[in-house]
Amino acid sequence: MIRVEKLKKSFGTNEVLRDINISIQPQEVVVVIGPSGSGKSTFLRCINRLETITEGHIYIEDKDITDKKTDINKIRENVGMVFQQFNLFPHKTVIENIMISPLKVKKAKESEAKEKGMALLRKVGLEEKANVYPDSLSGGQKQRVAIARALAMEPKIMLFDEPTSALDPEMVGEVLEVMKQLAKEGMTMVVVTHEMGFAREVGDRVIFMDGGYIVEENIPAELFGNPQNERTKLFLGKVL
Amino acid sequence: MDFRFDIIVEYAPFFLKGTLLTIGLSLAGIAIGTILGLFIGLGKMLKNRWLSFPFECYITIFRGTPLMVQILLIHFAVVPFIIDDTNGIAAAIIALSLNAAAYIAEIFRAGILSIDKGQMEAARSLGMNHVQAMRYIILPQASKRMIPPLGNEFIILIKDSSLASLVAAPEIMYWGRAMNGQYFAVWEPYLTAAVIYLLLTLSLSYLLHRLERRLATE
Ligand SMILES: Nc1ncnc2c1ncn2[C@@H]1O[C@H](COP(=O)(O)OP(=O)(O)OP(=O)(O)O)[C@@H](O)[C@H]1O
Ligand SMILES: [Mg+2]
């Protein structure tokens, strides 16, 4: 589903990703952990080319997104992204936030987009908030709307960049719950998070990144229970 | 000093015509300047340095030289050079528009840059192309923030249009100067002009204020 080969990314002279190789299967949930500045966000943002890729290749459903000829907008329709800071559109109501892309990008019919949008809101438990502006929502509600908005494009892959890090602790659960549900339905997911409980419970595989490399990867039970690399041990010792 | 209302009454029809022309010059300057300004502002934001450079030069030149010099150059040099004829009104409109465009370009650019870059990223991640993201997400938010500085610029433009009197475009100041020439009076013509300009700028402020309030409650 996603194949990353020899991915390198630099900002100027700062080499942030040095050599990333990974292959992600359909319906797999991959959790990415690692210290601050290790390149987790950058890696995720390369997957939908929000960052230009310095070297290497990323294939999404066998299309090389580093190829100039690939229509990146088409690829992005299939790759939803959820941001730490939500990034809802403040000038649009909740339902408009969800409908805008199906309407403008997929040229969906207004009535159909609305119906589907309402169904998604129901799914994330926010049906009654359809007509309010994002300003009046709590952080947890905003993030659930952001997830619904991404799902409205019917993506095959969802990327999450620390979706609960900007939330008050009591709201973390409601967002993780939605993500668990999504995983259960078979969505392919790449999740950067500090929620080790979520990683253990939902992750099919956990990747530990440090210094621009994937230092260690394994099923959650193994990686958390029996880490091999010294740096992994050190990191887990701090966060667990 | 005795203030002669009779000569103001005598010149009233001319001031009226002048006011209409001032409004016309201002509206033309606002309309053309805004469209051109948007284009130039977007141009300056192009990532390619070579492509953005001409737009940057444009802004530097028009903001860095006096409007008076620009009007005189356009009226007496540029327009005659191109069409072998000249016309004060046309030259004034051209100069006012080109000058306002430089300031408006910066207002657009600042407005767009003031929008959090997460907005563009979210729009792009949803499959929108750059133009769609600009049109549906960035510009609607930026335009609200641009209204106060744009209003300011429009008010400046109304006042600056008085420089058109230098190239014999018969707007308010032109008639003021004519009256001054005929009667050697200073208070009557220039106070009359001042009051008319004040009325124009106050009306525009009022309209902009209402528009701002309307958008704020939306
Ligand atoms: N747009 C950018 N321009 C320049 N440097 C950047 C940019 N984005 C990220 N970096 C640098 O890349 C490195 C990795 O950043 P990244 O955000 O990917 O780390 P991260 O693992 O997500 O960290 P965190 O856990 O703090 O989110 C950092 O050193 C950062 O300063
Ligand atoms: Mg990050």
Side-chain angles (χ1 to χ4, degrees), chain A residues 104-144:
Chain A
K104 302 303 179 189
V105 177
K106 287 196 163 162
K107 314 283 180 212
K109 276 219 228 74
E110 177 99 21
S111 56
E112 281 168 28
K114 179 137 199 180
E115 206 170 302
K116 239 181 56 197
M118 289 308 293
L120 285 168
L121 278 178
R122 215 168 301 138
K123 181 170 170 169
V124 299
L126 289 170
E127 206 182 358
E128 77 283 8
K129 297 289 186 188
N131 294 310
V132 307
Y133 284 89
D135 259 353
S136 64
L137 299 178
S138 72
Q141 292 171 332
K142 281 182 190 164
Q143 198 58 297
R144 285 186 279 154

Side-chain angles (χ1 to χ4, degrees), chain A residues 45 48 50 73 76-77 79 81 83 87-92 100-101 104-105 107 149-150 153, chain B residues 116-130 132 136-138 140-141 144 218:
Chain A
R45 292 158 57 82
N48 67 354
L50 281 182
N73 298 316
R76 286 184 181 138
E77 286 181 35
V79 184
M81 182 149 190
F83 302 84
N87 294 340
L88 293 179
F89 306 135
H91 62 304
K92 299 202 170 291
I100 177 96
S101 230
K104 302 303 179 189
V105 177
K107 314 283 180 212
R149 178 178 69 177
M153 291 300 281
Chain B
D116 182 67
K117 79 182 189 1
Q119 292 288 306
M120 175 58 92
E121 292 184 348
R124 296 305 301 270
S125 78
L126 287 166
M128 288 188 215
N129 61 36
H130 188 81
Q132 288 171 325
Y136 300 117
I137 306 302
I138 306 298
Q141 294 182 61
K144 268 191 199 177
E218 244 172 35

Side-chain angles (χ1 to χ4, degrees), chain A residues 40-41 84 161-162 192:
Chain A
K40 307 180 298 293
S41 298
Q84 183 175 347
D161 191 1
E162 302 198 26
V192 176

